[in-house]
């Protein structure tokens, strides 16, 4: 097996990150685990087809003994005992990484996935910044000469790294002529360079695992962790992983996922936006009962979302694992006090509900929200680090509860269709420019929310959904017309022909193909976008 690099341009830091030894480790990971990953991805397709035909899903019969068994995950490390507020964001650029580390949060989710556009520049910069963060040496000087460095007056957040999902490749690294697996590249480079440094400090290496769809995918990660620990001489169980329950099949396998990772498990996270995307994707052709209202109307108080989050808390605490809350989309705007006040109110309401439901902590996307989140959880936790001891024996969630999509309150409107098209094009353009997360109309949008946006439009066309505000069906002709209008709206707002032509026009072409081609459905928006990303 041979590993080769095909970088599109030179990037500083490759001499530190892409060493011969590190690449050899990545190569070993692929030799041992890439084939299993490919096999598991093929099983996803079969599962999706079965769910679409039947319009239903259930807890796996073959693992009933796991769900009924009396077992717990390994004891949590001291450095992860208190996770009441976690700030999320990409590890590149360095300024953003430093701001996250200086935010006062308990944990920084350093995202190499949905919040990072995986350009070659971002891939190397992100790994280099994580390398320096692990050693406490991360600094940055802006073009204007302003210097940024890590605070020394407060404890810094524990870093939890999120590699790419199983489905994503790394086109700039090839192994035996085939594109490398993005997740193995991300994990391999980070673990190789930082595992011993972090383990000696007792602060890692820790990971968030995205977009799992089956407990066998968790088993694969567990095998990877075990091999990596043995290979580099790190004690077994040092790695800890928090799994994002952000796909509908994973919601039916929470116990099983924790069980497969039990020596390495830290907890589960309610990845709400990807979860909605997964529901739409799985049941996109299963009829009108699975058509959700406008995205803005699908809150965490919808019955099917309440069932999902309450089951997650119950499952985690029964197994001695952390239950982590999700991301509220609202973000403050320091230039608009009224907008900030509304955002603060919405986020406070969200975090208060999560704390009272039994979550041990939650996510924020902006440093200005760290204190708010901490306050709401501290009201419930008091002097405790977490509330794992709070068992939710009152919760009884059935398969029907998780799938009560048709009971969601709200409507599909033409305004909602327009906003979905606007967000999908806007976000894709920003992603192509190298940024993985962006504030659009004071909401934090990342790949997950863009996926919801374009998938809802596809599903509405497929089902001929009638809009409540205009009383017309959503058709390819209507969507094509609205897309032209929304692209023109963006053109006038951007008011920069060069930027618009470079990023927004190709983004509009991608979104148009994704939403209007109702004969087929692209699993991930970022797959075609990645082909033109540099």
């Amino acid at each position: 097996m041979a590993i080769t690099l095909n970088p599109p341009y030179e990037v500083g830091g490759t001499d530190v990150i892409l060493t011969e030894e590190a690449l050899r480790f990545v190569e070993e990971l692929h030799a041992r685990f890439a084939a299993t990953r490919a096999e598991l991805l093929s099983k996803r397709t079969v599962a999706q087809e079965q769910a679409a035909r039947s319009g239903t899903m259930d807890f796996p019969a073959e693992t009933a003994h796991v769900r009924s068994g009396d077992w717990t995950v390994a004891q949590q490390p001291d450095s992860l005992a208190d996770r009441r507020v976690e700030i999320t964001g990409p590890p590149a650029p360095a300024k953003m990484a430093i701001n996250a580390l200086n935010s006062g949060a308990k944990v920084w989710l350093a995202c190499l996935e949905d919040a990072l556009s995986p350009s070659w520049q971002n891939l190397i910069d992100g790994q280099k910044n994580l390398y320096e963060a692990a050693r406490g040496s991360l600094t940055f000087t802006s073009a204007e000469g302003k210097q940024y460095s890590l605070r020394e007056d407060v404890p810094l957040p524990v870093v939890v790294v999120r590699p790419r999902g199983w489905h994503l490749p790394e086109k700039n690294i090839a192994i035996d002529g085939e594109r490398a697996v993005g997740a193995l590249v991300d994990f391999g480079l980070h673990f190789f360079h930082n595992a011993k440094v972090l383990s000696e400090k007792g602060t890692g290496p820790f990971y968030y695992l995205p977009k799992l769809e089956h407990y066998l995918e968790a088993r694969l990660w567990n095998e990877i962790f075990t091999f990596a620990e043995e290979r580099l001489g790190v004690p077994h169980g040092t790695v800890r992983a928090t799994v994002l329950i952000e796909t509908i099949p994973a919601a039916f396998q929470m116990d099983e996922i924790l069980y497969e990772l039990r020596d390495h498990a830290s907890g589960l996270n309610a990845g709400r936006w990807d979860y909605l995307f997964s529901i739409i994707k799985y049941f996109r052709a299963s009829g009108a009962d699975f058509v959700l209202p406008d995205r803005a109307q699908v809150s965490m108080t919808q019955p099917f979302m309440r069932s999902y989050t309450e089951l997650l808390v119950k499952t985690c605490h029964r197994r001695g694992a952390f239950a982590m809350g999700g991301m509220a989309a609202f973000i403050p705007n320091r230039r608009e006090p009224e907008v900030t006040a509304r955002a603060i109110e919405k986020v406070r309401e969200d975090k208060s509900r999560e704390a009272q439901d039994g979550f041990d902590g939650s996510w924020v996307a902006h440093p200005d929200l760290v204190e708010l989140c901490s306050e709401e959880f501290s009201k419930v936790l008091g002097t405790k680090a977490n509330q794992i001891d709070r068992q939710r024996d009152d919760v009884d969630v059935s398969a029907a509860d998780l799938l009560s999509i048709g009971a969601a309150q709200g409507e599909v409107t033409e305004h909602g269709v327009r906003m979905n098209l606007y967000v999908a094009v806007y976000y894709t353009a920003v992603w192509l420019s190298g940024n993985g997360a962006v504030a659009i109309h004071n909401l934090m949008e990342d790949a997950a929310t863009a996926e919801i946006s374009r998938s809802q439009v596809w599903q509405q066309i497929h089902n001929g959904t009638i809009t409540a505000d205009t009383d017309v069906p959503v058709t390819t002709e209507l969507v094509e017309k609205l897309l032209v209008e929304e692209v023109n709206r963006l053109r006038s707002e951007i008011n920069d022909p060069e930027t618009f032509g470079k990023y927004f026009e190709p983004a509009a072409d991608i979104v148009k193909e994704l939403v209007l081609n109702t004969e087929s459905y692209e699993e991930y928006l970022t797959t075609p976008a990645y082909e033109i990303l540099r």
Side-chain angles (χ1 to χ4, degrees):
M1 181 168 282
I3 185 168
T4 56
L5 305 181
N6 308 294
Y9 43 77
E10 293 298 319
V11 175
T14 55
D15 57 327
V16 175
I17 299 304
L18 300 180
T19 63
E20 183 178 345
E21 296 82 1
L23 291 174
R24 190 179 304 122
F25 181 66
V26 170
E27 190 178 10
E28 285 185 70
L29 292 175
H30 280 77
R32 289 175 176 266
F33 303 111
T36 303
R37 169 259 191 186
E39 180 183 347
L40 292 173
L41 286 182
S42 67
K43 291 182 177 179
R44 286 185 179 182
T45 303
V46 175
Q48 288 181 10
E49 291 172 351
Q50 290 175 342
R53 284 196 303 269
S54 65
T56 190
M57 195 175 285
D58 207 345
F59 299 95
E62 76 274 12
T63 54
H65 65 287
V66 173
R67 294 191 297 278
S68 63
D70 184 17
W71 54 269
T72 60
V73 303
Q75 184 176 346
Q76 302 298 329
D78 291 343
S79 60
L80 277 180
D82 189 338
R83 302 176 65 172
R84 71 188 65 200
V85 54
E86 301 189 347
I87 190 166
T88 72
K95 176 184 173 182
M96 188 171 289
I98 293 170
N99 286 342
L101 286 166
N102 288 343
S103 67
K106 295 293 186 180
V107 168
W108 171 36
L109 188 163
C111 181
L112 293 164
E113 195 223 13
D114 274 5
L116 184 82
S117 173
S119 66
W120 185 244
Q121 177 80 49
N122 286 342
L123 174 68
I124 302 302
D125 276 357
Q127 290 285 351
K128 181 170 65 68
N129 293 337
L130 289 170
Y131 178 98
E132 293 177 359
R135 291 156 178 81
S137 60
L138 182 59
T139 60
F140 172 71
T141 303
S142 71
E144 298 75 27
K146 185 175 180 179
Q147 295 185 336
Y148 297 81
S149 59
L150 300 179
R151 293 174 64 178
E152 298 180 354
D153 59 324
V154 295
L156 299 181
V158 173
V159 179
V160 182
V161 176
R162 177 163 64 171
R164 280 171 280 188
W166 279 131
H167 63 287
L168 289 166
E170 173 48 57
K171 65 182 179 182
N172 298 305
I173 299 177
I175 298 177
D176 280 355
E178 299 290 333
R179 285 182 172 181
V181 177
L184 295 180
V185 171
D186 295 344
F187 167 77
L189 292 175
H190 179 265
F191 187 90
F192 181 85
H193 288 298
N194 304 297
K196 287 188 176 180
V197 172
L198 294 171
S199 64
E200 288 170 0
K201 294 180 178 180
T203 57
F206 303 141
Y207 298 95
Y208 258 107
L209 303 180
K211 295 183 175 56
L212 269 64
E213 296 194 14
H214 199 280
Y215 64 85
L216 292 179
E217 296 178 20
R219 180 181 297 176
L220 175 59
W221 269 117
N222 194 67
E223 291 170 354
I224 290 168
F225 295 152
T226 298
F227 167 77
E229 288 167 336
E230 292 176 354
R231 174 70 173 74
L232 294 188
V234 175
H236 179 75
T238 301
V239 171
R240 291 306 170 97
T242 305
V243 177
L244 290 123
I245 302 299
E246 56 184 356
T247 68
I248 183 65
F252 287 87
Q253 301 180 36
M254 296 187 202
D255 275 303
E256 291 87 340
I257 287 169
L258 285 174
Y259 182 79
E260 294 295 343
L261 284 159
R262 58 194 180 279
D263 287 351
H264 295 107
S266 181
L268 303 177
N269 173 278
R272 58 182 71 172
W273 305 122
D274 264 301
Y275 186 70
L276 288 173
F277 164 47
S278 176
I279 288 172
I280 298 166
K281 179 167 65 173
Y282 255 76
F283 298 108
R284 63 186 181 271
S286 298
D289 285 346
F290 289 93
V291 176
L292 287 164
D294 288 353
R295 178 166 71 98
Q297 300 177 40
V298 186
S299 70
M300 297 305 293
T301 60
Q302 294 280 11
F304 73 99
M305 295 299 282
R306 291 287 294 160
S307 295
Y308 148 67
T309 55
E310 292 199 315
L311 179 60
L312 188 147
V313 173
K314 178 180 181 177
T315 303
C316 285
H317 288 183
R318 183 185 177 200
R319 305 305 183 185
F322 295 114
M324 302 306 301
M327 179 72 73
F330 301 94
I331 57 172
N333 185 330
R334 294 171 181 173
R335 294 185 299 275
E336 299 184 38
E338 291 184 5
V339 169
T340 295
R342 288 196 298 270
I344 293 293
E345 181 181 354
K346 291 285 189 181
V347 176
R348 187 178 296 281
E349 179 182 298
D350 183 70
K351 302 312 170 191
S352 174
R353 182 181 58 254
E354 287 181 325
Q356 292 176 41
D357 282 348
F359 282 95
D360 300 293
S362 191
W363 285 5
V364 298
H366 194 286
D368 288 354
L369 298 174
V370 168
E371 185 176 354
L372 178 157
C373 184
S374 181
E375 285 176 358
E376 292 306 313
F377 274 87
S378 295
K379 289 176 185 177
V380 173
L381 293 174
T383 59
K384 297 195 305 182
N386 56 67
Q387 50 185 333
I388 288 178
D389 61 344
R390 183 183 169 194
Q391 302 293 299
R392 290 298 309 272
D393 295 332
D394 57 307
V395 172
D396 184 16
V397 174
S398 67
D401 294 329
L402 291 173
L403 294 175
S404 61
I405 314 303
Q409 298 296 306
E411 301 171 324
V412 174
T413 67
E414 183 177 296
H415 174 73
V417 177
R418 284 184 178 276
M419 285 307 301
N420 276 342
L421 294 170
Y422 178 95
V423 167
V425 173
Y426 197 148
Y427 176 79
T428 304
V430 171
W431 193 89
L432 291 173
S433 74
N435 292 317
V438 61
I440 301 177
H441 296 169
N442 302 302
L443 296 177
M444 182 57 70
E445 309 283 2
D446 69 2
T449 54
E451 293 283 25
I452 295 172
S453 297
R454 63 95 180 184
S455 297
Q456 277 199 310
V457 176
W458 190 100
Q459 185 184 34
Q460 290 158 358
I461 295 173
H462 189 87
N463 288 278
T465 304
I466 306 296
T467 57
D469 53 345
T470 58
D471 198 31
V472 298
V474 181
T475 62
T476 54
E477 292 77 16
L478 175 65
V479 169
E480 191 163 15
K481 170 180 173 292
L482 297 181
L483 180 60
V484 169
E485 292 174 2
E486 292 306 307
V487 170
N488 285 334
R489 175 185 168 194
L490 281 164
R491 190 191 310 274
S492 64
E493 290 177 356
I494 300 303
N495 195 27
D496 181 343
E498 182 178 355
T499 296
F500 196 85
K502 188 174 183 180
Y503 301 119
F504 284 81
E505 288 181 359
D509 290 341
I510 289 170
V511 172
K512 180 178 181 179
E513 173 64 20
L514 292 177
V515 300
L516 296 183
N517 184 2
T518 53
E519 296 301 314
S520 64
Y521 176 87
E522 182 66 57
E523 291 292 310
Y524 291 96
L525 178 159
T526 49
T527 301
Y530 186 52
E531 296 307 314
I532 58 175
L533 177 72
R534 298 184 74 245

